[in-house]
């Protein structure tokens, strides 16, 4: 793999070995750190995520292995992340700890500062901003620039579409295929003619998307498991509305101001959802006393109510 291009040497770095959505939640932190250092911020993350990093508007660049920095911030507290930080060339190293119990005795030999702030029920992007000393009045959720047209998947319809992304890294977050089909059929009666289905490439994700697509037939354009990172982000950015389970699709859609309804099961939304008029959540916690709840407790009718409410406030979704 070729090294990412850098316009100039970044002064600071952020390191994370987490998944795509988690990395996007670090965008406000990069904005804060970059503003302080007066330079670019290198994102040391999975190289597969570099296309998303390139869309971060506040002087983010993909991290390079030979980078040398004035400061670095490690955004997850695993031993693996700590070992990666040990190899990073940085004059001053920081590590976030969501709780003091996540500390390891040997971390003090790697990091100059361990930032331990207990944050029950706080949106992760807000936590990193606050723990790094950001002005709470200045916080804004993650942002991404709109990707260029040449990132487009050749299978996308030319006409306006609503996108469904029913999968995430954890199959426990999935909703029943029959429920997705019912939602599609109900909204199709409102005039929605084009549906696009995306999803990851794992065996579980492919199987779930195939089940949904086979039930919908020609009603949906199925590109699940067959998109590059660029094509996936582009498909989300051009949708009139995104319907998804808790995962990267939700975060990316919001970061590009695309209307989105996100379904949450056993994961409590406060950590992973920043509510706005265009970004709404449906939580299984509100549908059952079972703890932890399953997405199965959310009925299509409940999900549709939120979709209909969003459409009423955003008439352009159907026009």
């Amino acid at each position: 793999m070729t090294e990412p291009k850098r316009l100039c040497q970044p002064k600071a770095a952020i390191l994370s070995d987490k998944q795509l959505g988690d990395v996007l939640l670090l965008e406000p932190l990069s904005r804060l750190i970059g503003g302080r250092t007066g330079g670019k911020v290198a994102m040391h993350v999975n190289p597969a995520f570099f296309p998303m990093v390139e869309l971060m508007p506040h002087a983010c660049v993909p991290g390079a292995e030979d980078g040398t920095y004035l400061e670095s911030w490690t955004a997850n507290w695993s031993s693996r992340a700590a070992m990666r930080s040990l190899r990073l060339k940085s004059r001053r190293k920081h590590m976030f700890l969501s709780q003091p119990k996540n500390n390891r005795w040997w971390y003090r030999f790697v990091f100059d500062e361990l930032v331990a702030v207990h944050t029950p029920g706080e949106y992760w992007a807000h936590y990193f901003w606050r723990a790094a000393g950001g002005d709470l009045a200045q916080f804004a959720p993650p942002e991404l620039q709109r990707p260029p047209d040449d990132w487009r998947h050749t299978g996308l319809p030319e006409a306006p579409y609503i996108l469904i992304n029913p999968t995430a890294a954890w199959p426990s977050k999935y909703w029943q295929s029959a429920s997705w089909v019912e939602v599609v059929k109900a909204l199709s009666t409102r005039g929605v003619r084009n549906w696009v289905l995306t999803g990851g490439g794992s065996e579980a994700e492919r199987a779930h998307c195939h089940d949904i697509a086979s039930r919908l037939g020609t009603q949906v354009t199925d590109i699940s498991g067959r998109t590059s990172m660029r094509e996936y982000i582009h498909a989300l950015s051009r949708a009139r509305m995104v319907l998804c389970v808790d995962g990267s699709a939700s975060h990316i859609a919001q970061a590009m101001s695309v209307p989105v309804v996100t379904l949450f099961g056993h994961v409590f939304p406060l950590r992973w959802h920043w509510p706005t008029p265009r970004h709404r959540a449906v939580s299984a916690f509100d549908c059952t006393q079972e703890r932890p709840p399953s997405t199965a407790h959310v009925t299509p009718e409940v999900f549709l109510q939120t979709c209909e409410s969003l459409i009423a406030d955003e008439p352009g979704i159907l026009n």
Side-chain angles (χ1 to χ4, degrees):
M1 179 176 295
T2 59
E3 284 290 321
K5 294 181 180 180
R6 289 169 290 165
L7 298 177
C8 64
Q9 175 62 43
K11 297 181 180 180
I14 295 175
L15 185 148
S16 174
D17 58 8
K18 300 283 279 184
Q19 298 174 28
L20 183 62
D22 303 86
V23 169
L24 179 51
L25 294 181
L26 298 173
E27 190 277 329
L29 176 65
S30 74
R31 193 187 316 155
L32 176 65
I33 301 304
R36 287 177 180 170
T37 60
K40 296 184 179 297
V41 176
M43 301 293 289
H44 282 260
V45 298
N46 186 334
F49 305 161
F50 284 169
M52 184 180 73
V53 171
E54 293 168 2
L55 297 177
M56 293 181 177
H58 298 282
C60 280
V61 295
E65 293 303 320
D66 63 347
T68 302
Y69 310 103
L70 296 177
E71 60 182 78
S72 62
W73 298 77
T74 300
N76 55 296
W77 37 89
S78 66
S79 297
R80 182 176 61 180
M83 291 304 297
R84 286 190 60 195
S85 298
L86 179 63
R87 296 189 293 268
L88 200 65
K89 298 176 183 177
S90 176
R91 186 175 301 175
R92 184 169 180 82
K93 299 182 180 182
H94 311 259
M95 175 184 250
F96 291 101
L97 298 169
S98 66
Q99 299 184 52
K101 69 178 183 180
N102 294 319
N103 195 4
R104 302 289 183 271
W105 66 268
W106 55 274
Y107 283 3
R108 67 182 184 272
F109 297 111
V110 178
F111 299 99
D112 299 283
E113 181 183 15
L114 296 170
V115 183
V117 183
H118 184 54
T119 55
E122 183 178 11
Y123 181 55
W124 278 115
H126 189 271
Y127 157 69
F128 290 120
W129 177 276
R130 180 173 65 84
D135 182 349
L136 298 186
Q138 299 298 317
F139 174 79
E143 301 174 9
L144 288 176
Q145 295 173 329
R146 185 178 170 95
D149 289 336
D150 61 9
W151 287 21
R152 182 182 184 275
H153 188 281
T154 56
L156 275 184
E158 296 290 346
Y161 59 86
I162 290 179
L163 184 146
I164 296 175
N165 195 94
T167 66
W170 309 106
S172 57
K173 294 183 177 182
Y174 296 1
W175 202 26
Q176 299 100 318
S177 298
S179 295
W180 283 117
V181 171
E182 190 169 335
V183 167
V184 169
K185 290 183 175 179
L187 291 179
S188 293
T189 64
R190 291 286 308 273
V192 180
R193 294 291 176 260
N194 293 292
W195 295 87
V196 170
L197 182 67
T198 59
S202 70
E203 183 177 347
E205 289 173 289
R206 285 177 179 270
H208 188 52
C209 288
H210 176 73
D211 187 27
I212 295 169
S214 64
R215 293 169 184 247
L216 290 173
T218 58
Q219 277 188 279
V220 65
T221 298
D222 180 15
I223 59 174
S224 60
R226 296 182 287 112
T227 57
S228 66
M229 182 61 65
R230 289 183 172 186
E231 291 167 340
Y232 171 59
I233 295 172
H234 179 276
L236 289 165
S237 74
R238 291 340 191 241
R240 287 289 181 88
M241 179 168 67
V242 171
L243 309 179
C244 57
V245 295
D246 169 37
S248 65
S250 175
H251 302 302
I252 292 171
Q254 181 184 24
M256 294 186 291
S257 295
V258 177
V260 56
V261 178
T262 305
L263 175 65
F264 287 85
H266 66 279
V267 176
F268 201 55
L270 287 178
R271 284 283 200 181
W272 303 100
H273 175 72
W274 185 259
T276 74
R278 304 190 111 201
H279 189 226
R280 306 187 185 186
V282 179
S283 175
F285 280 89
D286 297 328
C287 301
T288 179
Q289 295 300 311
E290 180 181 304
R291 296 293 182 267
S294 163
T295 56
H297 290 290
V298 178
T299 65
E301 291 77 16
V302 168
F303 191 80
L304 278 165
Q305 286 175 4
T306 302
C307 294
E308 294 280 5
S309 175
L310 181 55
I311 290 170
D313 293 340
E314 297 276 348
I317 290 173
L318 297 184
N319 294 336

